[in-house]
Amino acid sequence: MKLDDQIQKLEAGALARIQEAIDSEALEAVRVDVLGRKGSLAQISKDFGKLTPEERASAGKALNAAKQALESAFESRKQAFASDALNQRLRAEWVDLTLPAPGPRPGSLHPVTQIQDEIEDLFTSLGFAVLDGPEVETEYHNFDALNIPPEHPARDMQDTFWLEGGNLLRTHTSPVQVRGMEKLGPPLRMIAPGRAFRNEEVDASHEHTFYQVEGMMVDRDVSVAHLIYFMKTLLSAIFRREVTVRLRPGYFPFVEPGFELDVQCLICGGPGCPVCKQSGWVELLPCGLVQPNVLRMSGIDPDEWGGFAFGLGLTRLAMMRYGIDDIRLLQSGDLRFLSQF
Ligand code: PHE
C-alpha cells in the first residue's frame, strides 16, 4: 500500500477511536497511541527515507494534514468531556436559593431556671428578699457561722471541695443566710437560690453541682406553725395543687428543732412507686427553727428574735415535676433534652 493510503487509513481509524473514547482517560490513551512521540504517526514518518522526493513531498503533506485533523478532533472531544463534567457537577451541586431559610431556633429556659423563677416570684409576693452570695465561700460562712465547728461530725456529712488558702466551694446556699443576717439584721425574710457543690460520686441521682433555694425568716415569735404554713404554700404553688406533708425529726446543726419535710408522692399519691421507692413519701425539704447560736454569731439576740430556715433542692424538684429520671441530663447542655422544656 502506498504511504499516502496508509496515512489516510490510519487517520480514519484514529478518528473513529477518538469518537468512541468513553472518557477523558480513554481519550488521552488514544492520543498517546496515535500522536505521541512513539505513536503510529511518528512510526510512519520513519519510512520517509525510502521514498522518492516527489513521493516524500506528497506523503509529508498527507501526514501533516492527518496530524492536524486528529489534533483538532482530539481537542474538540476533550472539550466535550470537560463540559459534560461541568454540567454534571452543576446538576449535582444545585441549590434552590429561593427556599426559605430554617431560621433561628427559639431557645427555652432551663427547667431548673423555670422553677427558680417561679419560687422567686412566690417569695417576693410574700415579702421575701432574693439574695445572692459567692460560690467560693469562706470556711466561716459555710460552716462555723452555721454552728458547725471544725471538729463537728456534721462536716463529714458534706463532701467538700476545698480550695487553696482555706476557702471552699459552698456546699449549700446557707452561707447566704449568714451574710443576709449580718448585712440586713432582723426582722428578715429572704431566700437564696443558687448553685452548690459537693464532691459526690456522680450517678443517675447524684451530681457534684446542683441547685438549691434556701430561705429564712427571722422575726418575733416565729414558730413551727409559721414554718409549716410557708412550706405548704411553697409546695402547693410549685406543684399547682394541695400537697400533703409530714414532718420527721431531722438533724442539722444550724436548726433546733430540725425536720425533714416529706411530701406525699405526687406520682402514685401514696401507695408506693419507684419514684418514692415504694414508701409513698418523697423527702424534699429539710428545715427547722434557727439555732440560737447561729443567730447570736450573726449579731442577732436569740432572746428577742427567732426564725425558721429551710433548704429546697431545686434540681430534685425539677426532676419530680418533669419526671426526669437522670440528674446528669440537667447539666449535660444537650439541646435534644433542653428543647423539651
Ligand atoms: N443547708 C442544708 C443542706 O444543704 C439544708 C437545710 C437548710 C437544712 C435549712 C435545714 C434548714 O443540706
Side-chain angles (χ1 to χ4, degrees):
M1 206 194 313
K2 268 183 57 193
L3 210 51
D4 287 20
D5 296 337
Q6 270 186 45
I7 291 169
Q8 249 169 35
K9 197 167 160 225
L10 194 150
E11 182 187 339
L15 279 172
R17 284 177 67 198
I18 288 174
Q19 290 317 314
E20 282 157 18
I22 50 158
D23 54 25
S24 53
E25 280 89 59
L27 183 66
E28 177 60 12
V30 176
R31 194 190 65 80
V32 171
D33 210 23
V34 180
L35 292 164
R37 258 189 322 122
K38 291 178 182 159
S40 8
L41 283 182
Q43 296 296 336
I44 281 186
S45 62
K46 279 191 187 153
D47 294 338
F48 277 26
K50 299 174 199 149
L51 301 175
T52 65
E54 297 85 55
E55 280 173 334
R56 195 182 302 152
S58 136
K61 248 192 199 156
L63 194 70
N64 272 337
K67 205 170 159 187
Q68 270 171 23
L70 288 172
E71 271 168 357
S72 87
F74 172 76
E75 203 47 46
S76 70
R77 191 91 177 103
K78 192 171 146 184
Q79 295 289 337
F81 280 131
S83 78
D84 273 2
L86 181 65
N87 283 334
Q88 216 167 35
R89 231 186 103 190
L90 287 174
R91 264 198 307 279
E93 293 173 15
W94 181 81
V95 235
D96 185 353
L97 294 176
T98 66
L99 280 178
R105 268 199 300 179
S108 57
L109 292 177
H110 193 281
V112 170
T113 309
Q114 292 183 29
I115 291 193
Q116 182 177 328
D117 285 353
E118 282 175 33
I119 292 175
E120 287 182 13
D121 285 350
L122 173 74
F123 275 98
T124 309
S125 76
L126 294 170
F128 284 63
V130 179
L131 300 188
D132 204 5
E135 290 177 346
V136 172
E137 260 300 0
T138 62
E139 194 176 348
Y140 174 78
H141 285 96
N142 196 82
F143 290 129
D144 302 78
L146 289 162
N147 204 31
I148 317 175
E151 68 282 4
H152 200 290
R155 293 214 185 188
D156 294 338
M157 283 161 41
Q158 300 179 334
D159 299 291
T160 308
F161 285 112
W162 291 94
L163 305 175
E164 278 168 26
N167 286 342
L168 45 84
L169 292 182
R170 67 180 181 196
T171 59
H172 45 188
T173 51
S174 309
V176 186
Q177 300 176 347
V178 175
R179 291 177 181 277
M181 288 188 287
E182 286 172 353
K183 199 170 165 194
L184 304 172
L188 175 69
R189 294 179 189 194
M190 56 151 290
I191 58 166
R195 280 201 298 185
F197 309 86
R198 286 184 204 175
N199 198 352
E200 298 265 15
E201 195 79 58
V202 175
D203 63 28
S205 48
H206 297 90
E207 253 287 15
H208 47 70
T209 303
F210 54 94
Y211 288 77
Q212 287 190 320
V213 178
E214 298 224 2
M216 123 182 295
M217 174 167 156
V218 178
D219 213 321
R220 293 191 167 88
D221 302 323
V222 173
S223 71
V224 175
H226 294 110
L227 171 64
I228 294 173
Y229 166 76
F230 277 102
M231 296 306 98
K232 279 197 79 167
T233 307
L234 164 66
L235 295 171
S236 302
I238 291 169
F239 293 113
R240 298 183 184 126
R241 66 183 116 150
E242 266 306 293
V243 293
T244 308
V245 303
R246 72 172 185 194
L247 285 182
R248 286 180 293 124
Y251 172 66
F252 304 93
F254 33 91
V255 285
E256 179 63 50
F259 305 106
E260 291 284 2
L261 189 145
D262 301 337
V263 184
Q264 193 164 59
C265 180
L266 294 159
I267 310 292
C268 67
C273 72
V275 172
C276 58
K277 302 198 187 82
Q278 308 306 331
S279 74
W281 297 90
V282 177
E283 188 180 306
L284 209 55
L285 252 174
C287 54
L289 296 186
V290 183
Q291 228 275 349
N293 280 340
V294 172
L295 294 172
R296 202 174 288 120
M297 271 186 279
S298 293
I300 297 176
D301 179 1
D303 292 329
E304 193 179 342
W305 304 95
F308 66 74
F310 62 92
L312 183 62
L314 275 184
T315 304
R316 166 124 21 124
L317 209 57
M319 291 175 73
M320 267 198 73
R321 174 141 114 191
Y322 295 111
I324 299 164
D325 59 5
D326 191 328
I327 195 172
R328 290 167 290 196
L329 287 166
L330 291 159
Q331 291 265 104
S332 66
D334 188 334
L335 288 179
R336 291 169 305 178
F337 168 72
L338 293 173
S339 61
Q340 299 174 64
F341 302 98

